[in-house]
Amino acid sequence: MKTLKKTLADLLHQDAALRCVLLAVGMLSGCQLEPTTEYLPLPPPPTAALPPAATSEQRPKLAGIAAHKFSIAKDRRIVGRLAVIRTQDGDTLSDIARHFGLGYHEITLANPDIRPWTPKAGQRVLLPLRFILPDAPRKGIVLNLANMRMFYFPPKQPDVMFTYPLGIGREGWNTPLGQTTIVAKKANPAWAPPESIRREHAAKGDSLPAVVPPGPNNPLGKYALSLGFNSYLIHGTNKPYGVGMQVSHGCVRLYPEDIKALFKKTAVGMPVRMVHQPYMTAWVGDRLYLEAHQPLQKWAGQKQRLQKSLLKQLRQAAAEKGVTVDWEKVDRTLQRADGIPTPILAASLDVPELAAKAPEVQHPVHFYGQPVVPELTGSDWAILVADFHNAAMAQQLAAMLTHQGPPIPARKVGKDGTYQLIAGPFKNKKEAELIAHRIRMDFEMDAKPLPPGTVALPQENASTQ
């Protein structure tokens, strides 16, 4: 536990905190049979903070914004727009991302100076809802692993495109490239964990059954599309806050609401193409945009070649159009690699200026899927997860637990100048012991069940007891 506390303290303001702790959690995914090429998430380079919008109070706020469905013209390769939302108490970037159809990687790269799990109230969060379509036939499903995003082109609607964020294969488990098809569809799928995954869990002291039935503990969620690539699926998840990260055993994960929508739209035989395109360009009128991502680790050795090819492409485009490319801006965009389509011609605006001009979206009463922590009373079983001297550290881990799948309700409780991280409520001893075991396995923390009446109640509840 001392090691975990030190890690959290050191990384409290960094995206790496989630990877060090949340990725250690058993984010089950039954897909690939054996580990293959390594995938390692790359840390984002430093980015300028989102500037304040001096005139935002004078502009009306948007009631909503397109996040999934976009109209597309035949020769248009860019859709959507940037927007911002102002945080309120209790928000997390994960809740904001899911509500607006973004993945964890997308929203944290776009907002590197905001703490993902404990943002301050009133901060302006950039919603990177502008996307460049990958260079691939507009037919069926196209997955760009580089930006962890799916593009779906309905067969009878050539002027419409749907897009969804993805979770893909983690370190040692490779999501494949190439072309295949949907070979089967299954609602409420059972999961038979491959022997390799069962060995992985057994090594942690957490045995898996031969078959996991449908339900809240099934990592496939409620819908699965089997692909022609042997043992690979596009499926839902019982851990939605891993979407937009490299956390699976090779399969492709979608938010539960997104796989439900896709499941209804697709049919057996639909083509599926998986590509890796970290650098994409698109014209909008006389403006040229560049969208840059860090190549995934498998292709990291090709980064120089990929960038050289991009620069050649940009020189040719500039010569054909008779325009001037701002090469310093190209370099900054490549270094930033935040996935935000950026205009790169001379005298064009950069991301900070675009963000300052972005419209503000109204804050909803409740973000879609945002977990609610039930009140803890003196008659409930609970779990003591850890003690902290730092309130922000305790709140961050509480938010992480609450956003687990299935959720583990947690809150920080002040006690004698320190902060206890308390999980609960639980209805009985058995449930509390099962969750404590799960925390020990996933977080390597010595969580201890607490009988009713033995936990100091949170201050917000104490007055009602």
Side-chain angles (χ1 to χ4, degrees):
M1 181 144 65
K2 290 181 180 179
T3 301
L4 177 60
K5 288 182 180 180
K6 183 179 186 301
T7 300
L8 285 171
D10 292 343
L11 302 175
L12 184 58
H13 299 285
Q14 301 179 22
D15 167 72
L18 179 74
R19 295 194 176 108
C20 287
V21 181
L22 190 54
L23 289 186
V25 175
M27 291 185 169
L28 303 177
S29 180
C31 307
Q32 173 71 298
L33 293 178
E34 294 296 338
T36 53
T37 307
E38 290 189 357
Y39 264 21
L40 290 176
L42 299 177
T47 307
L50 184 62
T55 60
S56 63
E57 298 303 323
Q58 285 72 47
R59 294 199 301 263
K61 296 181 181 180
L62 300 176
I65 188 169
H68 293 301
K69 183 179 180 181
F70 296 93
S71 298
I72 53 171
K74 185 177 180 180
D75 58 348
R76 188 176 177 89
R77 292 194 58 218
I78 189 168
V79 297
R81 64 190 300 187
L82 300 180
V84 297
I85 188 169
R86 202 173 294 274
T87 56
Q88 296 181 4
D89 286 332
D91 289 350
T92 71
L93 291 191
S94 286
D95 292 322
I96 296 172
R98 183 176 180 182
H99 186 88
F100 290 101
L102 295 166
Y104 180 86
H105 195 63
E106 291 174 306
I107 201 164
T108 53
L109 282 179
N111 299 277
D113 295 311
I114 297 180
R115 294 188 303 229
W117 297 102
T118 56
K120 297 178 181 178
Q123 289 186 289
R124 296 177 72 244
V125 175
L126 180 63
L127 304 175
L129 289 167
R130 175 172 280 168
F131 312 107
I132 293 180
L133 278 58
D135 184 12
R138 298 183 180 185
K139 186 176 182 181
I141 293 173
V142 178
L143 307 175
N144 188 358
L145 303 187
N147 64 353
M148 288 181 264
R149 182 156 284 274
M150 170 188 290
F151 300 86
Y152 166 65
F153 302 92
K156 297 182 180 180
Q157 296 176 276
D159 58 345
V160 172
M161 183 273 300
F162 296 84
T163 182
Y164 307 104
L166 309 172
I168 62 174
R170 63 173 171 81
E171 176 185 355
W173 300 84
N174 182 20
T175 300
L177 296 184
Q179 186 170 350
T180 184
T181 61
I182 297 173
V183 297
K185 298 174 61 176
K186 179 67 175 179
N188 297 313
W191 177 46
E195 183 59 32
S196 55
I197 296 177
R198 295 183 69 185
R199 287 196 303 267
E200 181 182 69
H201 281 257
K204 295 170 56 179
D206 184 28
S207 61
L208 288 177
V211 176
V212 178
N217 294 315
N218 189 316
L220 303 186
K222 294 184 178 181
Y223 302 94
L225 305 173
S226 298
L227 301 179
F229 294 139
N230 187 35
S231 302
Y232 288 94
L233 308 171
I234 298 173
H235 61 79
T237 179
N238 64 345
K239 301 179 184 296
Y241 297 97
V243 169
M245 302 169 65
Q246 295 176 245
V247 292
S248 79
H249 285 92
C251 285
V252 174
R253 296 179 176 183
L254 275 72
Y255 286 127
E257 58 274 19
D258 292 345
I259 188 64
K260 180 179 180 180
L262 185 70
F263 189 86
K264 293 178 180 179
K265 294 180 175 73
T266 55
V268 171
M270 175 168 286
V272 177
R273 185 183 297 268
M274 298 185 182
V275 302
H276 176 263
Q277 296 179 11
Y279 307 120
M280 297 176 287
T281 60
W283 288 93
V284 178
D286 58 356
R287 288 170 292 173
L288 178 59
Y289 286 79
L290 169 63
E291 179 178 327
H293 304 266
Q294 290 286 359
L296 297 182
Q297 184 65 25
K298 179 181 179 181
W299 294 276
Q302 302 177 21
K303 182 176 180 178
Q304 186 175 359
R305 181 183 63 80
L306 291 170
Q307 291 191 358
K308 184 177 180 180
S309 176
L310 168 70
L311 297 180
K312 180 180 179 180
Q313 175 189 340
L314 293 178
R315 284 192 292 269
Q316 291 175 344
E320 292 172 1
K321 295 275 190 175
V323 296
T324 301
V325 172
D326 184 336
W327 295 107
E328 290 186 2
K329 184 174 292 185
V330 170
D331 185 62
R332 289 198 301 272
T333 303
L334 293 175
Q335 290 294 321
R336 196 170 58 231
D338 57 9
I340 300 174
T342 304
I344 55 172
L345 296 184
S348 59
L349 299 179
D350 209 340
V351 169
E353 291 80 20
L354 294 172
K357 293 177 176 292
E360 184 172 336
V361 181
Q362 291 180 7
H363 195 290
V365 175
H366 190 78
F367 290 116
Y368 182 88
Q370 185 176 20
V372 176
V373 179
E375 181 181 352
L376 185 65
T377 72
S379 60
D380 294 316
W381 276 83
I383 296 172
L384 173 60
V385 180
D387 292 288
F388 295 96
H389 293 287
N390 184 294
M393 192 187 304
Q395 183 58 42
Q396 174 169 292
L397 188 53
M400 289 179 173
L401 284 170
T402 301
H403 286 78
Q404 281 299 294
I408 300 175
R411 79 278 291 148
K412 72 175 189 294
V413 179
K415 183 180 180 181
D416 301 329
T418 62
Y419 300 90
Q420 290 186 327
L421 182 58
I422 302 295
F426 304 109
K427 57 188 177 183
N428 52 44
K429 180 180 180 180
K430 181 179 180 181
E431 183 182 17
E433 289 178 340
L434 287 173
I435 299 299
H437 173 75
R438 183 175 151 201
I439 294 172
R440 286 193 291 270
M441 291 297 99
D442 294 345
F443 286 83
E444 298 182 358
M445 303 182 76
D446 189 20
K448 299 178 180 179
L450 300 174
T454 60
V455 59
L457 295 175
Q459 292 181 357
E460 61 266 28
N461 293 343
S463 61
T464 67
Q465 303 306 310

